[in-house]
Amino acid sequence: MPSPTPVTMSATLAADEALDRRRRAGEQVLSLAGGEIGLPVLPALRERLAAAADRNAYGPVAGSPELRSAAAGYWRRRGLSTHEAAVVCGPGSKPLLFALMLAVGGDVVVPVPSWVSYAAQAALAGGRAIPVPGVPGEGGIPDPDALRTAVRRARAAGGDPRAVVVTLPDNPTGTIASPLTVRRLAEAATELDLVVISDEIYCDLVFDPKERAVSPAFSAPERTVITTGLTKNLALGGWRTGVARLPEGPLGRGIQDRLVGVASQIWSSMAAPVQAAAAWAFEEPAEVVAHVAASLRLHESVAKAVARRFTAVGAVLAPVRATCYLYPDFEPLRDRLAAHGVHTGGGLAELLAERYGIGLLPGSAFGEADSALRVRVATGRLYGGTDAERTAALEAADPLGLPWIRASLDRIEEVLTTLVADQPQPLGELS
């Protein structure tokens, strides 16, 4: 009997659970590992969810007409002509991405580094992940020339690459691929007959509006599927909201038919009350636009403040242009870290967690070699421990001056300074 596909716990969720256990045990910890956005729910959204609580029927597999129409309008406002019939909704963009891999089939090209679940989902879907390095400073997109080489080599060896997944903007690096790189990627995908699965869950979290991420759907509209949701821009991770935009034409219709079939067998339909609230959010009324703008200002302020603390001790870090993620490289500090017995990214993450109570993820969780001294830092949980604190952070003209945020920043600075000192000294606990 063949062995089942190995299934490991998501690195981000595993790290979060480990930190939660330590917190419940009374330890002082600082969570920089998971991608949770620690902000309160917009009150108007809560009201719409409550008002729809009596909606208890399954509803259409692809989503309610109102949500599909609202999502289509969301993309049209971003310059992508979209009909509601080309939209499929699901309980989060994460299951939609997995369902798309099932619908497309074959092997999946993933950039290195890339989000922790792409490679695992490719394996669960019966294929394999083909890692391709990205362009330095332009995370989320495989280098187009390296993509051509990797796909041709895989096919020559009997592999079956059919899709390439990209992230715009990028998790884990917080960077954005240039329009030129995205266009070259689209050209390579067309040449190689690959479906482009474009994960754009962070597209509303770009700090400078002049630097908005450009979707590959503009360059390869007939073969690009886009996924997004409300998990990041409105901090609704627990609501599980996701939408996919399928391309027009025979390829897109075939993928959509299979995607809806997969959805019908796995989740049947999104939760109806959540669909009602999500439809209102995707219409982007003034309250939603203002809430996202305030969130974005907070993300930028805190992420850049944390970034300054890493670069101050000598870590190399590409300018953070979006999201609440940093991807510092400690290679220039390898000799200093060796004094702690640290020689790998995994060792660095373990040291920070076990000795200092700071949880983050090594680059190996994102497909890097463990020898790389890179880590992913997520700042979305530094905004406060209660809704009152998080609301204050969201509304503050200077969130860095708030005592709880300042304490976290000071702790990060203290730990990093000690970490690279010639003679490391133990630190007290986080106050």
Side-chain angles (χ1 to χ4, degrees):
M1 183 175 182
S3 299
T5 301
V7 182
T8 57
M9 182 75 167
S10 162
T12 51
L13 299 182
D16 280 346
E17 290 190 3
L19 288 169
D20 285 342
R21 285 194 296 270
R22 294 177 63 178
R23 186 179 291 109
R24 289 194 300 270
E27 296 183 50
Q28 297 293 322
V29 297
L30 192 60
S31 178
L32 301 173
E36 183 86 62
I37 306 294
L39 290 174
V41 177
L42 179 65
L45 268 171
R46 289 202 306 265
E47 295 166 5
R48 279 158 177 80
L49 182 67
D54 61 347
R55 299 192 185 187
N56 61 344
Y58 283 116
V61 173
S64 69
E66 59 182 337
L67 178 52
R68 297 174 79 188
S69 176
Y74 170 90
W75 276 304
R76 285 195 296 269
R77 288 189 294 277
R78 286 153 179 79
L80 288 168
S81 176
T82 307
H83 191 276
E84 64 184 69
V87 176
V88 175
C89 310
S93 63
K94 188 173 186 176
L96 277 171
L97 286 162
F98 176 53
L100 281 164
M101 291 185 192
L102 285 169
V104 174
D107 302 328
V108 183
V109 177
V110 299
V112 178
S114 63
W115 179 53
V116 298
S117 290
Y118 294 144
Q121 288 187 344
L124 289 171
R128 68 185 184 97
I130 301 173
V132 176
V135 177
E138 299 186 44
I141 301 281
D143 179 275
D145 293 332
L147 170 70
R148 288 183 173 90
T149 300
V151 168
R152 288 167 180 156
R153 181 182 296 124
R155 287 173 174 165
D160 186 23
R162 300 186 198 176
V164 54
V165 63
V166 302
T167 318
L168 290 159
D170 183 42
N171 171 14
T173 67
T175 60
I176 309 170
S178 70
L180 175 60
T181 297
V182 174
R183 186 168 65 251
R184 291 178 55 230
L185 181 281
E187 291 169 352
T190 300
E191 177 185 319
L192 297 165
D193 194 23
L194 297 174
V195 174
V196 181
I197 301 174
S198 187
D199 181 353
E200 300 181 13
I201 192 73
Y202 299 100
C203 71
D204 293 332
L205 298 184
V206 178
F207 302 150
D208 186 341
K210 296 190 295 294
E211 294 186 338
R212 292 192 69 87
V214 176
S215 175
F218 286 105
S219 298
E222 78 291 347
R223 64 180 57 252
T224 299
V225 182
I226 302 174
T227 63
T228 191
L230 305 177
T231 301
K232 305 302 178 181
N233 62 350
L234 286 171
L236 297 177
W239 285 26
R240 309 313 300 139
T241 58
V243 291
R245 176 190 182 273
L246 281 297
E248 296 180 359
L251 177 63
R253 286 192 294 272
I255 295 172
Q256 183 168 359
D257 288 345
R258 293 189 293 276
L259 175 61
V260 172
V262 170
S264 75
Q265 300 292 354
I266 297 179
W267 63 75
S268 300
S269 64
M270 257 180 85
V274 173
Q275 289 194 67
W280 179 78
F282 274 114
E283 292 285 358
E284 297 183 291
E287 301 100 308
V288 167
V289 173
H291 189 79
V292 172
S295 302
L296 186 56
R297 289 192 296 270
L298 177 60
H299 295 325
E300 180 177 13
S301 179
V302 175
K304 288 185 175 180
V306 174
R308 288 194 293 272
R309 279 140 179 89
F310 278 89
T311 56
V313 299
V316 177
L317 182 62
V320 184
R321 299 165 60 199
T323 78
C324 51
Y325 300 127
L326 321 173
Y327 201 62
D329 187 350
F330 283 79
E331 184 60 36
L333 301 166
R334 183 174 289 276
D335 291 344
R336 298 287 183 92
L337 294 179
H340 297 269
V342 169
H343 305 281
T344 66
L348 176 57
E350 183 178 0
L351 174 71
L352 288 168
E354 296 302 320
R355 184 180 297 179
Y356 302 117
I358 293 183
L360 40 70
L361 292 178
S364 56
F366 303 90
E368 299 257 34
D370 196 39
S371 57
L373 286 173
R374 287 183 279 275
V375 293
R376 203 283 302 270
V377 181
T379 62
R381 287 189 172 176
L382 298 182
Y383 307 143
T386 65
D387 270 357
E389 289 183 344
R390 295 168 189 137
T391 298
L394 197 60
E395 297 174 350
D398 178 21
L400 304 184
L402 296 172
W404 55 92
I405 294 180
R406 173 56 57 187
S408 294
L409 294 174
D410 288 348
R411 177 62 176 178
I412 293 168
E413 182 174 347
E414 182 184 19
V415 168
L416 291 176
T417 300
T418 299
L419 194 65
V420 302
D422 288 329
Q423 294 182 319
Q425 299 295 322
L427 289 174
E429 290 187 343
L430 176 66
S431 60

